[in-house]
């Protein structure tokens, strides 16, 4: 059944306003999460880090993320998306920038944990935000387009980040330190922009006409009412479900592989040859992500 003019126009407006913006935010988010793997090309030697130490530094991020993910989402629902997502980005950008001045592994342990705390609500918060604006039938496409940013982040981030290592040493500060400054600043800037750009709910959207707002609000409310009538599962039923545990285990293995590659691929590639520059390592690193994206595959992560 073809969409009505009002329906098509409203969905198009909402998609154009929201999806490209959150797409860019996720590019920055993922890059700031994994850029330590590129910094390790020079950082490990400067700070005397072993491979096992780097692994713990990389992984401790997820402890803070795990502990604060749900509380952060609850606060976003209460405070509003634009302020809360903006706050998340500003604080994680500041933590990334501060990482440029670390002097030892202990400093990295602390800052990586704080980065997890700061960024915890971003991904689930954006997914929740999408439910405020899109019905179920449009939501899958919106989420898929948003998550494509993961692959694009690697395609852009790998060569840019390694180029910074080789070419930026302003003020006598090593290139790997400038990675955190130059890639943390966009998060702060976009965090400030988010506070003014995003709209919390459809009823507050000045960029929609009255007719468009009323249609979208009624459609979202109608869908939410249908969910409330449906069956609710208790926490006991959820944790007792073998299907959920099986899917959780599958996702665990997927994410373990994903981040294992993300954090370690630059170092592994560099170990193959002592004549590769860091920039060349970045160009090689982007190849599998470019191939993946060109074949229509979308990355998945938290």
């Amino acid at each position: 059944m073809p969409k009505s003019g009002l329906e098509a126009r409203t969905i198009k407006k909402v998609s154009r306003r929201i999806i490209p913006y959150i797409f860019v935010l996720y590019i920055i988010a993922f890059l700031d999460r994994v850029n330590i793997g590129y910094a390790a090309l020079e950082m490990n030697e400067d700070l005397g880090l072993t491979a096992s130490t780097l692994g713990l530094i990389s992984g401790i991020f997820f402890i803070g993320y795990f502990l604060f993910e749900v509380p952060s989402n609850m606060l976003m629902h209460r405070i509003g998306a634009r302020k809360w997502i903006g706050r998340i980005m500003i604080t994680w950008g500041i933590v990334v920038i501060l990482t440029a001045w670390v002097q030892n592994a202990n400093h990295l342990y602390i800052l990586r944990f704080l980065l997890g705390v700061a960024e915890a609500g971003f991904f689930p918060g954006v997914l929740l935000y999408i439910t405020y604006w899109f019905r179920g039938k449009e939501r899958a496409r919106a989420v898929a387009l948003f998550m494509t940013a993961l692959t694009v982040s690697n395609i852009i981030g790998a060569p840019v980040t390694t180029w910074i290592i080789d070419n930026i040493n302003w003020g006598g500060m090593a290139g790997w330190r400038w990675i955190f400054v130059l890639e943390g600043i966009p998060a702060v800037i976009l965090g400030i922009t988010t506070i003014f750009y995003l709209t919390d709910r459809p009823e507050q959207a000045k960029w929609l006409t009255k007719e468009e707002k009323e249609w979208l609000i009624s459609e979202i409310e109608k869908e939410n009412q249908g969910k409330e009538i449906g069956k609710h599962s208790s926490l006991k039923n959820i944790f007792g479900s073998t299907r959920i545990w099986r899917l959780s285990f599958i996702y665990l293995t997927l994410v373990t592989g994903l981040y294992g590659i993300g954090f370690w691929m630059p170092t592994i590639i560099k170990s193959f040859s002592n004549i590769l520059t860091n920039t060349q390592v970045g160009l090689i690193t982007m190849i599998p992500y470019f191939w993946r994206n060109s074949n229509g595959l979308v990355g998945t992560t938290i």
Side-chain angles (χ1 to χ4, degrees):
M1 183 178 178
K3 295 178 181 177
S4 67
L6 175 61
E7 179 182 12
R9 186 173 70 247
T10 305
I11 293 170
K12 187 175 182 180
K13 274 190 178 182
V14 171
S15 298
R16 286 184 173 180
R17 173 83 181 190
I18 294 174
I19 294 176
Y21 189 76
I22 61 176
F23 178 86
V24 172
L25 298 189
Y26 197 30
I27 288 176
I28 301 300
F30 192 78
L31 182 58
D32 283 343
R33 189 182 297 183
V34 302
N35 59 11
I36 195 167
Y38 299 104
L41 294 170
E42 302 288 344
M43 179 182 70
N44 286 6
E45 184 177 351
D46 285 359
L47 299 184
L49 304 179
T50 64
S52 58
T53 301
L54 179 65
L56 182 56
I57 289 167
S58 301
I60 203 169
F61 164 90
F62 296 98
I63 297 176
Y65 195 103
F66 171 78
L67 292 174
F68 288 89
E69 188 172 8
V70 174
S72 182
N73 234 31
M74 294 170 66
L75 284 169
M76 192 197 90
H77 188 70
R78 181 182 304 174
I79 294 172
R82 65 184 183 86
K83 291 181 180 178
W84 193 246
I85 293 176
R87 190 284 306 162
I88 288 172
M89 298 192 66
I90 291 169
T91 52
W92 104 46
I94 290 171
V95 172
V96 172
I97 292 169
L98 290 175
T99 307
W101 284 274
V102 296
Q103 299 300 318
N104 52 53
N106 289 334
H107 292 166
L108 283 168
Y109 289 140
I110 294 169
L111 287 173
R112 288 292 293 183
F113 176 80
L114 291 177
L115 181 62
V117 173
E119 196 188 320
F122 176 76
F123 182 80
V126 171
L127 294 186
L128 177 61
Y129 183 67
I130 287 172
T131 68
Y132 297 161
W133 292 91
F134 295 94
R135 299 171 298 178
K137 63 173 75 175
E138 292 99 20
R139 202 170 296 151
R141 180 175 180 274
V143 171
L145 290 171
F146 163 64
M147 294 178 67
T148 306
L150 184 154
T151 306
V152 175
S153 179
N154 283 292
I155 293 172
I156 297 172
V160 169
T161 304
T162 49
W163 183 88
I164 291 172
I165 298 176
D166 283 341
N167 295 279
I168 304 295
N169 57 359
W170 301 326
M173 192 160 71
W176 68 263
R177 295 183 183 275
W178 277 108
I179 287 174
F180 299 111
V181 176
L182 297 177
E183 294 182 358
I185 289 174
V188 176
I189 294 173
L190 286 169
I192 296 169
T193 304
T194 296
I195 295 172
F196 299 97
Y197 181 82
L198 285 187
T199 307
D200 287 335
R201 300 277 187 165
E203 51 265 33
Q204 300 164 345
K206 296 179 180 179
W207 40 274
L208 291 176
T209 66
K210 182 180 179 181
E211 185 183 26
E212 291 165 346
K213 281 192 286 188
E214 289 176 350
W215 177 85
L216 183 58
I217 292 168
S218 66
E219 288 292 306
I220 297 295
E221 287 181 349
K222 189 188 305 179
E223 192 169 86
N224 289 339
Q225 288 171 359
K227 292 177 183 177
E228 291 172 2
I229 296 172
K231 181 180 177 181
H232 291 269
S233 297
S234 66
L235 284 175
K236 182 179 178 180
N237 290 336
I238 291 171
F239 283 106
S241 170
T242 56
R243 177 179 297 178
I244 288 176
W245 283 107
R246 285 198 302 270
L247 292 172
S248 298
F249 178 75
I250 292 170
Y251 192 60
L252 171 65
T253 57
L254 184 153
V255 172
T256 301
L258 176 71
Y259 281 104
I261 292 172
F263 288 132
W264 293 103
M265 187 183 289
T267 306
I268 293 170
I269 293 172
K270 188 69 178 284
S271 70
F272 289 156
S273 172
N274 58 9
I275 64 171
L276 289 174
T277 65
N278 293 315
T279 304
Q280 289 170 336
V281 169
L283 291 170
I284 295 170
T285 301
M286 69 176 278
I287 292 173
Y289 298 103
F290 182 81
W291 179 88
R292 184 187 195 189
N293 197 56
S294 65
N295 281 275
L297 299 177
V298 178
T300 303
T301 186
I302 55 175

